[in-house]
Amino acid sequence: MNRQEQPQRVHFLLSKLEQIVGPEGLVSAPEDKRQYDTDWLKKWQGDSCVVVRPATTLQVSQVMRLCYENQTPVVTQGGNTGMSGGATPDGSGAQVLLSLSRMNKIREVDALNNSMCVEGGVILAQVQKAAEQVQRYFPLSLGSEGSCTIGGNLATNAGGIAVLRYGNMRDMALGLEVVLPDGRIWNGLRALRKDNTGYDLRDLFIGSEGTLGVITAAVLKLFPRLTTQATAWVGASSMSALLHMLSVLYEQCGQRLVAFEMMSAEALDLVLQHVPASNSPLQGQHAFHALIELADTHTDSLTEMLETCLEQGVEKGYIDDAILCMSLSQRQELWKIREGISEAQVRAGHCVKHDIALPISALDEFVVQASAAVSALSPGLRLINFGHMGDGNLHFNVLLPGGLGSAEIKTWTQTLNKAVHGLVHQYQGSISAEHGVGQLRRDELRIYKNPVELELMMLLKQTLDQNQIMNPGKLL
Amino acid sequence: MNRQEQPQRVHFLLSKLEQIVGPEGLVSAPEDKRQYDTDWLKKWQGDSCVVVRPATTLQVSQVMRLCYENQTPVVTQGGNTGMSGGATPDGSGAQVLLSLSRMNKIREVDALNNSMCVEGGVILAQVQKAAEQVQRYFPLSLGSEGSCTIGGNLATNAGGIAVLRYGNMRDMALGLEVVLPDGRIWNGLRALRKDNTGYDLRDLFIGSEGTLGVITAAVLKLFPRLTTQATAWVGASSMSALLHMLSVLYEQCGQRLVAFEMMSAEALDLVLQHVPASNSPLQGQHAFHALIELADTHTDSLTEMLETCLEQGVEKGYIDDAILCMSLSQRQELWKIREGISEAQVRAGHCVKHDIALPISALDEFVVQASAAVSALSPGLRLINFGHMGDGNLHFNVLLPGGLGSAEIKTWTQTLNKAVHGLVHQYQGSISAEHGVGQLRRDELRIYKNPVELELMMLLKQTLDQNQIMNPGKLL
């Protein structure tokens, strides 16, 4: 179906949709649709047939049933903060954009069970706040937490800062409610820690990027509140040395270790250059830096514990220098540097980004090889290497020289992706650690994914989405 | 195919299997087959066509290909320690029993990546030991750890003692190698903490009880070694009070809380009565007891922390009495009581067992209701209620009066299952928290499982096991 070609069918669809969600649930004027049709990075520009905003699970079910019967493709969207174009429709004008933004109710908070039931359109920051109100903690934390939604976090299995300690979004979900492509509602909203009664459907929908169903609600795990923190910044002469520092912290501090955020000297320099009022935390030059944070539920001697570990690190030569935060404002300054990398990259020019994961034990060798491969391509390329080192997740980005045209940027992107992802594949890593596949990595997935796994994924897609209406052109 | 009816086909199959695994890989004499054909509880007695024991993934693949082409059903078996008859063949003499006992290699230990790659037939205790050798910890811990295998632990998503802190087996796996029903090998042995490149096939196979494929190897997560422990025993007047004690511990000790094992006064009495040299830890009568354990990577003041929490518990009336372990031998004595429940049940007579899970916040009300329902059936029934309370997992068992015949036991089993599981269903719980469905709960699954979920499960089974040869008669 195409809006231009089949105005009658479109008219029929819109009137049926309006019957389901009411006029307040439809957005059809082009100027109003634009914010939904374009991703926030302005990298993908789509054109949906209509934006439909149901307010209840039943309405989502009726919308899906209608689209299923009419074989109308559906693109589900949460907060529209994705990095891979997974929630942006194509340009055909034929796809219905299903926004969950009105499904924003916190259905239940159960502190005794350490769980919370929320709808898919609830914003992450609101979940964090609701947990705090019952002296609990919801650990998912992302740059976009003020606008991304739980449904989107689940659909993309979001990662972020605290994966080292709490795992990915997948690890924070107990149950799901999902509307299937044909409109059936699967109520899997279990609030149980243990349930061995059959196949794990929950984890099949989590991370499926809207290609198998619509996640309308979820039961989330809550955790004990963290009341103490200790933060440090360290400098090391090599990735290998820094990895040994990580190992010491892991062994001695266990689950108190909540962040181990690495950045290369080049990444730090970029922040110092482009983010106003930012200062280097350490004197002297260090090839690699890391922001380390411990946290605990108990007002324990965390700072002393961190200090002891860092002293051991210096003694053994794992780190060359370190500072320990003595105030909240000092801590904020350090995190400002870490969080400033995104902004610095935008200001510095065009970055070709790689969101990759590797076994931690392979990071050192990989970085040596991949850095050499990038340097060999052109001396004008600038490597901005940083990431969640404790999870083996690097943002191995390459800053292109200024003044390139869009065709040159495209060519460089392909060349660099091939060089970096080829090596990631050799080291048995992942070409999308936390950002998802979406439109961005779809073609590359077919190159690097194990063929048997790809066959199984396609088989599941064909089976669960028989009319092939769920987010076509994404992921698979 | 039936052994008696089609001797030629059986002969053909055996000779082909021998070509694949060699004579050392086949067990066909009835007296040798018996230990595989009967479950360890002697509850299910099967009769396989042959037991085949491949030594490599390639051999498993060739065996599966052969069985697929001949439409021969296959029952995969690990350590044969299951509770639900999931690894016992039927009595037809037509099923091939695929034992992974020769696939027992630890392929790789990577301390820096906190991971280990092992074959499916490796015994759990060997994995625990291999982790210790590199100063790491593998937390899965079960009564059968000296004989159960990692493949079986994965196929049944095993639970056990440390779920409160570390989750189920599912949460300890990074990657899998699986032989599919048609013999294709899926190499999903990734050792990554983050990987968002498509559907989560790993979790589909974990917990599928051998009905979708054969798990031949896995990459497991390792954790920091725990170096300090603090253990206590508490008595409380109600389940509700005990739940509040749990909440205090969770809030203040966070992830140090590794066990919160509850038992009712009746369960404790049963141990004192039947296990030699066991003594009641506390003076006086308490309706409910709990064994509490904290553990940490750091030689911290754990005992003081536990003491402070228990003092708060007494002050607020959550517990009535408590003792704190002051020696290793005292700790062993307390755990001996907890672990003695299984033995005490066997000695006391016939128990109708219920391995159930509920939201923790529903435990109190459920136990009141379910206890009343059991009492109302007959005053001669004795309730043995204990379990992993921190996970909401109760072993809500009922000891039948002595001297009943097998027909009466069967009738009581059905009556009690209906009463207890009916209530579990009302409280949105699970009728199999950690033991799995197998043969034991297959019929009940159809009663209590959400119909949409059951449809999806059947669809997945039909799709992934087209010839319906994987462990027929189990789970679905």
Side-chain angles (χ1 to χ4, degrees):
Chain A
M1 191 180 65
N2 179 299
R3 194 163 41 181
Q4 282 73 42
E5 288 163 18
Q6 306 194 344
Q8 281 187 330
R9 281 193 64 186
V10 171
H11 183 73
F12 166 81
L13 186 75
L14 294 192
S15 95
K16 285 280 186 188
L17 285 172
E18 189 166 333
Q19 283 172 31
I20 298 168
V21 299
E24 69 279 20
L26 279 196
V27 181
S28 51
E31 63 277 19
D32 299 330
K33 267 190 330 104
R34 198 163 301 134
Q35 59 165 309
Y36 298 91
D37 284 349
T38 312
D39 81 299
W40 73 282
L41 294 167
K42 312 236 183 294
K43 204 165 169 179
W44 292 276
Q45 170 67 56
D47 181 24
S48 65
C49 163
V50 65
V51 176
V52 57
R53 300 172 66 227
T56 65
T57 303
L58 186 62
Q59 287 183 2
V60 174
S61 162
Q62 290 167 335
V63 168
M64 284 312 306
R65 181 85 203 158
L66 178 69
C67 292
Y68 177 78
E69 284 168 352
N70 287 279
Q71 305 204 8
T72 303
V74 175
V75 178
T76 309
Q77 189 175 94
N80 194 12
T81 61
M83 303 293 281
S84 308
T88 307
D90 68 15
S92 67
Q95 301 186 327
V96 165
L97 196 153
L98 175 67
S99 165
L100 288 198
S101 48
R102 286 171 76 211
M103 290 203 58
N104 55 8
K105 279 184 281 301
I106 293 180
R107 291 189 187 166
E108 192 192 6
V109 181
D110 183 347
L112 201 55
N113 193 45
N114 295 299
S115 66
M116 187 191 293
C117 182
V118 304
E119 292 185 343
V122 175
I123 287 170
L124 173 54
Q126 292 173 344
V127 169
Q128 295 167 343
K129 201 173 289 175
E132 275 168 35
Q133 283 168 357
V134 292
Q135 283 75 56
R136 292 290 183 272
Y137 178 56
F138 185 71
L140 189 73
S141 176
L142 308 173
S144 59
E145 61 196 26
S147 44
C148 66
T149 63
I150 289 297
N153 297 149
L154 286 161
T156 59
N157 186 30
I161 294 297
V163 176
L164 179 59
R165 165 70 183 75
Y166 295 96
N168 298 285
M169 187 66 198
R170 182 182 303 291
D171 303 297
M172 301 172 201
L174 291 171
L176 295 186
E177 178 185 81
V178 177
V179 175
L180 302 177
D182 61 4
R184 276 179 301 165
I185 299 168
W186 169 47
N187 180 345
L189 289 174
R190 289 187 280 267
L192 306 174
R193 252 70 186 176
K194 279 179 164 179
D195 179 27
N196 278 348
T197 56
Y199 304 152
D200 180 9
L201 301 178
R202 177 188 67 202
D203 283 304
L204 192 55
F205 290 105
I206 296 176
S208 68
E209 303 190 22
T211 65
L212 299 178
V214 182
I215 299 173
T216 47
V219 179
L220 305 176
K221 283 186 203 168
L222 302 181
F223 294 83
R225 233 178 358 163
L226 301 171
T227 52
T228 332
Q229 272 150 343
T231 311
W233 189 283
V234 302
S237 60
S238 72
M239 175 72 81
S240 163
L242 205 52
L243 284 167
H244 282 94
M245 185 70 248
L246 170 64
S247 214
V248 167
L249 287 160
Y250 190 67
E251 281 171 29
Q252 295 189 23
C253 309
Q255 294 296 307
R256 293 172 185 86
L257 181 61
V258 291
F260 195 101
E261 296 289 309
M262 179 277 292
M263 68 183 77
S264 67
E266 294 79 11
L268 177 60
D269 286 347
L270 202 75
V271 175
L272 299 179
Q273 195 180 336
H274 291 283
V275 177
S278 56
N279 301 303
S280 180
L282 301 176
Q283 302 292 321
Q285 290 297 309
H286 308 281
F288 294 95
H289 296 250
L291 175 57
I292 296 165
E293 195 157 279
L294 307 184
D296 202 346
T297 52
H298 197 258
T299 45
D300 208 344
S301 47
L302 270 194
T303 304
E304 289 81 346
M305 188 185 287
L306 184 51
E307 196 170 12
T308 307
C309 290
L310 296 181
E311 280 167 8
Q312 284 179 34
V314 171
E315 266 171 41
K316 295 191 175 172
Y318 300 155
I319 54 173
D320 299 325
D321 198 3
I323 55 151
L324 203 60
C325 278
M326 299 316 277
S327 71
L328 202 63
S329 66
Q330 206 182 358
R331 175 178 177 252
Q332 282 166 343
E333 260 181 55
L334 295 185
W335 275 105
K336 204 183 116 196
I337 294 173
R338 169 62 184 84
E339 284 156 3
I341 303 179
S342 297
E343 186 190 337
Q345 285 183 127
V346 171
R347 293 193 186 189
H350 190 95
C351 261
V352 178
K353 295 184 176 174
H354 305 100
D355 164 41
I356 60 178
L358 295 134
I360 291 169
S361 48
L363 280 176
D364 180 39
E365 214 178 293
F366 169 83
V367 168
V368 171
Q369 298 266 336
S371 305
V374 170
S375 295
L377 287 171
S378 160
L381 299 170
R382 205 168 148 194
L383 194 61
I384 312 301
N385 177 16
F386 66 101
H388 318 295
M389 191 161 138
D391 316 316
N393 178 192
L394 299 182
H395 298 299
F396 198 80
N397 299 344
V398 183
L399 182 63
L400 300 183
L404 298 181
S406 64
E408 286 167 303
I409 289 178
K410 196 175 169 189
T411 306
W412 268 120
T413 302
Q414 288 171 342
T415 306
L416 285 163
N417 284 348
K418 200 171 164 186
V420 174
H421 290 161
L423 268 171
V424 167
H425 186 63
Q426 268 184 45
Y427 283 93
Q428 300 180 55
S430 168
I431 63 163
S432 181
E434 56 177 11
H435 293 170
V437 176
Q439 305 179 44
L440 181 67
R441 301 285 174 223
R442 189 181 172 225
D443 294 338
E444 287 177 279
L445 191 74
R446 285 161 201 258
I447 300 170
Y448 297 114
K449 198 76 171 175
N450 174 313
V452 175
E453 189 162 348
L454 207 52
E455 283 166 34
L456 283 172
M457 282 168 56
M458 287 180 176
L459 184 63
L460 290 173
K461 169 73 176 168
Q462 283 154 19
T463 304
L464 295 172
D465 178 24
Q466 283 176 352
N467 283 0
Q468 300 287 300
I469 59 170
M470 301 306 295
N471 214 5
K474 313 293 167 50
L475 184 47
L476 279 173
Chain B
M1 190 180 66
N2 179 297
R3 193 161 42 181
Q4 284 70 43
E5 287 163 17
Q6 305 195 342
Q8 280 186 330
R9 280 192 66 185
V10 171
H11 182 75
F12 166 81
L13 186 74
L14 294 190
S15 95
K16 284 281 184 185
L17 284 172
E18 190 168 330
Q19 282 173 31
I20 297 169
V21 299
E24 68 278 20
L26 279 195
V27 181
S28 51
E31 62 278 17
D32 300 329
K33 264 190 333 103
R34 197 164 299 131
Q35 58 166 308
Y36 299 92
D37 283 349
T38 312
D39 81 300
W40 74 281
L41 294 167
K42 312 238 181 294
K43 203 164 170 179
W44 292 276
Q45 170 66 58
D47 180 24
S48 65
C49 161
V50 65
V51 175
V52 57
R53 300 172 65 228
T56 64
T57 303
L58 186 62
Q59 287 183 3
V60 175
S61 162
Q62 290 167 336
V63 168
M64 284 312 307
R65 182 83 205 160
L66 178 68
C67 292
Y68 177 80
E69 283 169 353
N70 287 277
Q71 304 205 9
T72 303
V74 175
V75 179
T76 309
Q77 190 175 93
N80 193 13
T81 61
M83 303 292 282
S84 308
T88 308
D90 67 15
S92 67
Q95 300 185 326
V96 166
L97 196 152
L98 176 66
S99 165
L100 288 198
S101 49
R102 286 172 75 213
M103 290 202 57
N104 54 7
K105 278 185 280 305
I106 294 180
R107 291 189 186 166
E108 192 193 7
V109 181
D110 183 348
L112 201 56
N113 194 46
N114 295 297
S115 66
M116 187 191 294
C117 181
V118 305
E119 292 185 343
V122 174
I123 287 170
L124 173 53
Q126 292 173 344
V127 169
Q128 295 166 344
K129 200 173 289 176
E132 275 167 35
Q133 283 168 357
V134 293
Q135 283 74 53
R136 292 289 184 272
Y137 178 56
F138 185 70
L140 189 74
S141 177
L142 309 172
S144 60
E145 60 197 28
S147 45
C148 66
T149 63
I150 289 297
N153 297 149
L154 287 161
T156 59
N157 186 30
I161 294 296
V163 176
L164 179 59
R165 165 67 183 77
Y166 295 96
N168 298 286
M169 187 65 198
R170 184 183 301 292
D171 302 297
M172 301 172 201
L174 291 172
L176 296 185
E177 178 186 82
V178 177
V179 174
L180 302 177
D182 61 5
R184 277 178 300 164
I185 299 167
W186 169 47
N187 181 345
L189 288 173
R190 288 186 280 266
L192 306 174
R193 253 70 186 175
K194 280 179 164 179
D195 179 26
N196 279 347
T197 56
Y199 304 153
D200 180 10
L201 302 177
R202 177 188 66 201
D203 283 303
L204 192 56
F205 290 105
I206 296 176
S208 67
E209 304 190 21
T211 65
L212 299 178
V214 182
I215 298 174
T216 47
V219 179
L220 306 176
K221 283 185 203 169
L222 301 181
F223 293 83
R225 236 182 350 168
L226 300 172
T227 53
T228 333
Q229 272 151 342
T231 311
W233 188 283
V234 301
S237 59
S238 73
M239 176 71 80
S240 163
L242 204 51
L243 283 168
H244 282 95
M245 186 70 247
L246 171 63
S247 214
V248 168
L249 286 161
Y250 190 67
E251 280 171 30
Q252 295 188 24
C253 309
Q255 295 295 306
R256 293 173 186 85
L257 181 62
V258 291
F260 194 102
E261 296 290 308
M262 180 276 294
M263 68 183 76
S264 67
E266 294 80 8
L268 177 60
D269 286 347
L270 202 75
V271 175
L272 299 180
Q273 196 181 335
H274 292 283
V275 177
S278 56
N279 301 304
S280 181
L282 300 176
Q283 302 291 321
Q285 289 297 309
H286 307 280
F288 293 95
H289 296 252
L291 174 57
I292 297 164
E293 195 157 280
L294 307 184
D296 202 347
T297 52
H298 197 257
T299 45
D300 208 342
S301 46
L302 269 194
T303 304
E304 289 81 346
M305 188 185 288
L306 183 51
E307 196 170 13
T308 307
C309 290
L310 296 180
E311 280 168 9
Q312 284 179 36
V314 171
E315 266 171 42
K316 295 191 174 170
Y318 299 155
I319 54 173
D320 298 325
D321 197 3
I323 56 151
L324 204 59
C325 278
M326 300 315 279
S327 70
L328 202 62
S329 67
Q330 207 183 357
R331 175 177 176 252
Q332 282 165 344
E333 262 182 54
L334 295 185
W335 274 105
K336 203 183 116 196
I337 295 173
R338 169 61 185 84
E339 282 155 6
I341 303 178
S342 298
E343 186 190 336
Q345 285 183 126
V346 172
R347 294 192 184 188
H350 190 95
C351 261
V352 178
K353 294 183 177 174
H354 305 102
D355 164 41
I356 59 179
L358 295 133
I360 291 168
S361 48
L363 280 176
D364 180 37
E365 214 179 293
F366 169 84
V367 167
V368 171
Q369 298 266 335
S371 304
V374 170
S375 295
L377 287 171
S378 161
L381 299 171
R382 202 166 151 197
L383 193 62
I384 312 301
N385 178 15
F386 66 102
H388 317 295
M389 191 160 140
D391 316 317
N393 178 192
L394 299 182
H395 298 299
F396 198 81
N397 299 343
V398 183
L399 182 64
L400 299 182
L404 297 181
S406 66
E408 286 167 300
I409 289 178
K410 195 176 169 187
T411 307
W412 269 120
T413 303
Q414 287 171 343
T415 307
L416 286 163
N417 283 349
K418 200 172 165 185
V420 174
H421 290 162
L423 268 170
V424 167
H425 185 63
Q426 268 183 45
Y427 282 92
Q428 298 178 56
S430 168
I431 63 163
S432 182
E434 56 177 12
H435 292 169
V437 176
Q439 304 180 44
L440 181 67
R441 301 285 174 223
R442 190 181 171 225
D443 294 338
E444 288 177 279
L445 191 75
R446 285 161 202 259
I447 300 170
Y448 298 114
K449 198 74 171 176
N450 174 314
V452 175
E453 190 162 346
L454 207 52
E455 284 167 33
L456 283 173
M457 280 167 56
M458 287 179 175
L459 184 64
L460 290 173
K461 168 73 175 168
Q462 284 154 16
T463 304
L464 294 172
D465 179 23
Q466 283 176 353
N467 284 359
Q468 300 286 300
I469 59 171
M470 301 306 295
N471 213 5
K474 314 293 166 50
L475 182 50
L476 279 174

